[in-house]
Amino acid sequence: MRSFLLLLVILLARPGFSQPTADTRNLLPVPTTVRWGTATLKPKTALRPLFQGPPDSLTAAAVTRTLARLGLNVPARNQSAASLPLQINYGKVGRAELFDEERYSLRVTPSGITIDAPTSLGVLRALATLEQLPQAAGRNVLLPEVDIQDQPRFAWRGLLMDAARHFMPVSVIKRNLDAMAAVKLNVLHWHLSDDQGFRVESKTLPRLHEVSGQYYTQDEVREVLRYAAARGIRVLPEFDVPGHTIAWQAAYPILASGDTLYKTVYQSWRLANVAFDPTKETTYQLLDTLFGEMTALFPDPYFHIGGDENDGRQWRGNPRIMAFAKAKKMLKSDGRTLDKHALQTYFNRRVLTILTKYHKQMVGWDEILGPGLPKSAAIQSWRGKKGLYDAAKAGNPTILSNGYYLDLNLSAANAYGTDPLPADNPLTPAQQKLILGGEAAMWSEFADSVIVDSRIWPRAAAVAERLWSARDVNNTADMYRRLAAVSRQLEGLGLQHRNAPEQLLRQLAGPTDVGTLRTLAQVLEPVKEYKRHFQGFTYTPSTPLNRLVDAAPAESDVARDFNCMVDSLRIYTNSDSYGPIFLVADSRRTALAMRQQLQTWQANHSKLIPRLGSSPTLTEYAPLSAALSAAAALGLERLALLEKQQQPDTEWQASALKQLDALNKPAGQTELAVLPAIRRLVELR
Ligand code: ACM
């Protein structure tokens, strides 16, 4: 086969494929340095915790938890059972809200385990790493010999949970705190008020929670705070003002700038653009009362006041507010138009005065940044990187969330590729220090307490790694491999990210086999970004989230796996592109797996039709089921040519691509996630 030498090799390598992969095993986030040994800890030997001094109760409890999860605790019945030491040395009890150090070292040797850390926070992070170390070896689970030195790249690594749009019971928050701890996230940003609800019991202004129905009692808040603190997680409460406040206005109409009297919390997801009246002293008196109460309830030194999405229309529409603005010289240079930013900055400064009185540092969304904002206020950037860098340049501490919005249903790779401080960032070293980190954000218009886990996990873990690990830890394929391991780990911790969609599918399948419905659901994804609001179906806070779109993964593993298979096909072809083509050996196996997958998809529709037809909630998804079948048929045609060592003729290819384009139509606010991969298969030459 000397003619092979004349063949042109087309290497369709996926990005990142050719990079050397460090031996990361199942560790996520990847630690700073890891040196694997060759030995293992003796299997089936319990670990006996030994502390340098008397441990604090939280650290002792965390160690007990980890050993129980590993199944390596000394049995209560047999305290003299053989055991190896788990030696734990730490300097002081660490406090996450004070940015205490999280650095640790973790050494596993055949004769025991040692954790060293300056603070108990480091011990917690070491335990999280330890929980990811077990490796299957035949029927045994082994802890490998290893020496790990680790510390976070960013001090602020958060997850925003929105309990205002859909209420999230304490149990939901707690299990998500467990998941956060597993991937070393350390800030729960708790979005507690919005147009649709005010979710904390207020003893001073009780109508706030009463009009909202579901809320956390103050005892429940304290329970969450304790649970978080025990995991080294700080809790940042957000009470969004002056916009996003219909719930407040329904309780206390005196706060309103507009004429609308809201009798209930907002029953819509449309951006309301209401705002408090920033000119009335009563507004600040009420805020002082509430923030006095809430700053005492929440111990974190930071306090989030929102500040986003007030377009000023209610202020412009109120003659009294306009007169106030005029008197205070808050008009634009034309002398007539409101300088909304100036008026909001006035409001922010008043709020800042209140928070300063209660010894809190203010955090707000990037809209609050502007001339006159004191440098002590921290900025959370959601609209772009610009806000992040502008804040740092202005001397304000800042946090990135743009790129980490989980509710937009973008891929984990997308978030993973978003670095708060890429190598080419425009900041000076001093400004870079103001980038505290970032937060994944899970806004809950389309996530209730049942399915919220599946919208957060495992993708939030990709953000966790971006914020903890070094900048050059960026092999996306390896991230996805470890994400799958984390996903299994989180199931073990009680997260419902896989169970809940599966249960929903079973409900939807009714008495029929869930398998065919699952085959379809697994390759669907909800439409991206904010499109779900604009596809002919009007959602409100009371719309049940129990349709196929809610069971569809935010990012389809099956579609991504299929895409990886297309990527990995290795073809030898003549340079004139009409000569013989050959699939390299491995690719033949891949092609076989692809054929089986495509055949399953092609055959699925006819099996699913009866159920799709008989269930009113499923009927709307019939076009996607048919499209999957048709797209799979085209994929099979292309694969058959490949297997026969034939190139497709250009007419067939053009026609197939046209058909695929026609199939690319969302239905029921979902789209077929596998179409791009099938398209690339068809395009292959
Ligand atoms: C936001 O997403 N409006 C902060």
Side-chain angles (χ1 to χ4, degrees):
M1 293 293 280
R2 303 183 80 213
S3 59
F4 251 108
L5 295 173
L6 300 172
L7 298 177
L8 180 72
V9 179
I10 301 176
L11 268 180
L12 296 153
R14 61 172 169 260
F17 195 79
S18 56
Q19 287 169 239
T21 302
D23 189 0
T24 52
R25 308 216 184 168
N26 285 347
L27 300 183
L28 191 160
V30 169
T32 312
T33 63
V34 183
R35 284 202 320 246
W36 299 103
T38 49
T40 60
L41 197 84
K42 198 159 164 270
K44 296 187 197 138
T45 312
L47 289 169
R48 194 177 293 278
L50 295 172
F51 294 90
Q52 192 178 29
D56 69 285
S57 61
L58 294 185
T59 304
V63 172
T64 304
R65 225 168 29 237
T66 292
L67 292 181
R69 286 173 185 162
L70 292 170
L72 293 176
N73 41 330
V74 178
R77 291 177 280 104
N78 183 6
Q79 282 296 307
S80 60
S83 63
L84 288 170
L86 169 56
Q87 177 68 48
I88 294 163
N89 311 317
Y90 63 99
K92 64 165 190 178
V93 174
R95 299 210 7 224
E97 70 277 17
L98 301 181
F99 295 104
D100 279 343
E101 276 196 277
E102 299 172 277
R103 179 162 57 89
Y104 68 89
S105 75
L106 168 65
R107 284 187 204 83
V108 179
T109 72
S111 53
I113 298 179
T114 309
I115 291 171
D116 286 288
T119 80
S120 58
L121 294 174
V123 176
L124 294 174
R125 307 305 173 234
L127 294 171
T129 303
L130 182 58
E131 289 180 36
Q132 293 179 335
L133 281 180
Q135 291 175 189
R139 289 164 60 194
N140 280 328
V141 176
L142 298 175
L143 285 177
E145 183 180 29
V146 72
D147 182 343
I148 294 174
Q149 310 289 326
D150 199 10
Q151 63 185 55
R153 181 172 169 218
F154 293 105
W156 189 301
R157 305 177 308 279
L159 170 66
L160 179 153
M161 290 188 72
D162 174 4
R165 299 315 197 309
H166 278 104
F167 185 66
M168 305 288 161
V170 168
S171 59
V172 176
I173 303 292
K174 281 186 174 175
R175 67 183 187 237
N176 278 280
L177 285 164
D178 280 323
M180 289 173 68
V183 294
K184 304 184 175 74
L185 289 173
N186 67 353
V187 184
L188 171 66
H189 176 159
W190 209 358
H191 185 75
L192 288 165
S193 75
D194 215 297
D195 293 318
Q196 295 82 8
F198 185 100
R199 304 301 186 181
V200 185
E201 175 191 25
S202 168
K203 296 189 196 283
T204 57
L205 296 164
R207 281 193 50 74
L208 283 171
H209 67 264
E210 285 165 8
V211 296
S212 297
Q214 289 176 296
Y215 60 91
Y216 305 103
T217 65
Q218 295 202 358
D219 280 344
E220 285 175 327
V221 169
R222 281 186 281 267
E223 186 183 340
V224 167
L225 295 173
R226 275 194 301 274
Y227 200 87
R231 285 150 186 80
I233 297 172
R234 55 200 289 187
V235 177
L236 173 74
E238 179 185 350
F239 296 93
D240 200 349
V241 292
H244 288 272
T245 47
I246 289 177
W248 305 59
Q249 298 189 28
Y252 297 98
I254 193 173
L255 290 164
S257 295
D259 299 331
T260 310
L261 190 63
Y262 291 99
K263 296 213 173 68
T264 66
V265 300
Y266 199 36
Q267 305 296 326
S268 163
W269 296 135
R270 277 193 314 275
L271 196 58
N273 279 307
V274 303
F276 287 164
D277 187 331
T279 68
K280 286 193 202 148
E281 286 309 305
T282 47
T283 299
Y284 302 104
Q285 285 158 9
L286 190 144
L287 280 172
D288 191 326
T289 303
L290 184 80
F291 286 176
E293 182 183 9
M294 293 301 150
T295 52
L297 181 61
F298 291 92
D300 201 277
Y302 285 84
F303 195 89
H304 204 304
I305 57 109
D308 57 320
E309 295 186 304
N310 164 35
D311 71 355
R313 75 177 67 171
Q314 284 202 324
W315 292 350
R316 286 193 300 273
N318 181 322
R320 201 174 32 72
I321 294 176
M322 287 304 287
F324 177 92
K326 190 169 178 198
K328 297 247 184 216
K329 302 198 178 0
M330 293 171 181
L331 299 182
K332 293 202 171 147
S333 52
D334 63 9
R336 280 177 288 120
T337 319
L338 173 70
D339 181 347
K340 187 224 46 168
H341 203 89
L343 186 49
Q344 189 153 347
T345 299
Y346 167 82
F347 173 84
N348 292 338
R349 294 188 73 98
R350 296 290 305 263
V351 172
L352 185 73
T353 304
I354 295 170
L355 292 180
T356 304
K357 181 170 79 175
Y358 297 118
H359 310 292
K360 296 291 180 184
Q361 262 178 281
M362 185 163 103
V363 190
W365 297 104
D366 52 56
E367 283 96 330
I368 75 165
L369 184 65
L373 185 78
K375 292 195 190 335
S376 61
I379 299 298
Q380 183 165 14
S381 174
W382 73 281
R383 294 180 301 174
K385 274 269 184 77
K386 186 171 180 306
L388 186 80
Y389 295 149
D390 285 352
K393 286 175 187 167
N396 294 78
T398 180
I399 306 152
L400 182 65
S401 275
N402 179 265
Y404 302 145
Y405 266 34
L406 301 172
D407 57 309
L408 302 186
N409 294 311
L410 302 175
S411 66
N414 187 283
Y416 196 58
T418 301
D419 192 319
L421 276 175
D424 61 355
N425 73 77
L427 302 181
T428 66
Q431 291 165 348
Q432 290 181 25
K433 286 207 175 67
L434 291 166
I435 311 281
L436 302 180
E439 281 184 9
M442 183 59 227
W443 299 103
S444 68
E445 284 92 337
F446 299 115
D448 61 14
S449 61
V450 176
I451 60 155
V452 69
D453 295 10
S454 72
R455 294 292 179 238
I456 298 176
W457 306 104
R459 288 177 305 146
V463 180
E465 173 152 297
R466 179 49 53 238
L467 297 174
W468 177 283
S469 303
R471 183 194 283 149
D472 62 1
V473 175
N474 55 13
N475 182 321
T476 304
D478 190 57
M479 178 273 287
Y480 274 116
R481 181 187 62 74
R482 290 176 293 113
L483 210 59
V486 163
S487 184
R488 288 189 294 276
Q489 184 194 358
L490 297 186
E491 278 191 274
L493 294 176
L495 273 291
Q496 299 299 308
H497 58 298
R498 294 174 71 115
N499 275 343
E502 177 65 18
Q503 280 177 15
L504 187 48
L505 283 180
R506 284 174 191 276
Q507 271 174 33
L508 289 166
T512 63
D513 168 36
V514 69
T516 51
L517 190 59
R518 191 190 296 123
T519 297
L520 175 62
Q522 281 177 339
V523 293
L524 297 181
E525 290 174 0
V527 291
K528 308 292 158 194
E529 299 173 326
Y530 297 107
K531 290 196 197 107
R532 198 166 163 184
H533 289 289
F534 306 108
Q535 300 211 335
F537 185 106
T538 303
Y539 288 87
T540 75
S542 47
T543 307
L545 297 176
N546 61 359
R547 290 154 62 238
L548 200 53
V549 57
D550 303 301
E555 179 178 15
S556 162
D557 288 336
V558 176
R560 199 184 58 253
D561 287 347
F562 191 79
N563 196 47
C564 286
M565 286 199 273
V566 177
D567 271 345
S568 71
L569 286 178
R570 297 290 185 277
I571 301 171
Y572 285 69
T573 177
N574 249 355
S575 51
D576 70 6
S577 82
Y578 281 97
I581 56 167
F582 303 92
L583 282 173
V584 189
D586 266 359
S587 294
R588 280 201 216 106
R589 275 195 296 277
T590 304
L592 194 65
M594 290 169 69
R595 163 171 295 283
Q596 284 164 352
Q597 178 67 88
L598 288 163
Q599 283 169 341
T600 302
W601 288 336
Q602 188 189 23
N604 200 59
H605 183 53
S606 60
K607 295 186 208 156
L608 196 52
I609 283 177
R611 183 62 193 162
L612 293 175
S614 66
S615 156
T617 48
L618 285 176
T619 305
E620 63 182 323
Y621 295 98
L624 289 172
S625 175
L628 177 62
S629 181
L634 292 168
L636 282 167
E637 282 181 40
R638 179 66 191 92
L639 209 54
L641 291 174
L642 210 52
E643 287 166 335
K644 281 191 279 182
Q645 305 188 5
Q646 288 174 9
Q647 287 286 20
D649 66 52
T650 45
E651 263 167 53
W652 176 88
Q653 221 165 12
S655 151
L657 292 175
K658 216 167 135 192
Q659 290 173 65
L660 287 173
D661 283 345
L663 296 173
N664 189 11
K665 284 207 187 76
Q669 302 89 55
T670 62
E671 57 196 22
L672 206 46
V674 77
L675 279 180
I678 294 180
R679 193 182 170 87
R680 294 178 52 232
L681 172 63
V682 164
E683 280 174 330
L684 216 61
R685 296 196 74 88

